[in-house]
Amino acid sequence: VPAAALVVAIGAVPPAQAWAQVRELLPVVGFLAAVLVLAELCDDEGLFTAAGDLMAGICRGRPERLLGGVFAVAALVTAVLSLDATVVLLTPVAFAPAARAAAA
């Protein structure tokens, strides 16, 4: 937002054109914001940590099983929330079981 305001302030983009872009992108940005809030609430409730624990229990130190578990959980989170939520919240959760599997 500050960078966009600066671009408008220096005259590189006319205010009318900037406002047209804001109106066009507002539904997408609103949707992404809502999904990320929902994903954060799920994380606060421990959903992603529980998924990581489940993956660790299922893989039992076997990387092939871990890959399948991560794939299944990521597909489910992506279908219910979004790819953004999967990348932001599930990726760090997958590192813990992956580290344990590599150490075993």
Side-chain angles (χ1 to χ4, degrees):
V1 173
L6 178 65
V7 169
V8 171
I10 65 172
V13 175
Q17 185 180 359
W19 180 244
Q21 286 297 312
V22 167
R23 282 193 319 235
E24 186 177 323
L25 293 174
L26 196 57
V28 173
V29 172
F31 171 76
L32 289 175
V35 165
L36 289 176
V37 167
L38 178 61
E40 183 62 30
L41 292 172
C42 290
D43 187 44
D44 289 347
E45 292 298 318
L47 177 68
F48 297 109
T49 302
D53 293 342
L54 179 65
M55 286 185 287
I58 290 173
C59 81
R60 297 185 195 122
R62 294 182 55 202
E64 303 84 19
R65 283 185 162 187
L66 179 60
L67 178 61
V70 169
F71 180 80
V73 171
L76 181 64
V77 171
T78 301
V80 173
L81 296 175
S82 73
L83 183 58
D84 297 321
T86 302
V87 170
V88 170
L89 297 169
L90 189 62
T91 300
V93 170
F95 281 119
R100 279 184 265 173

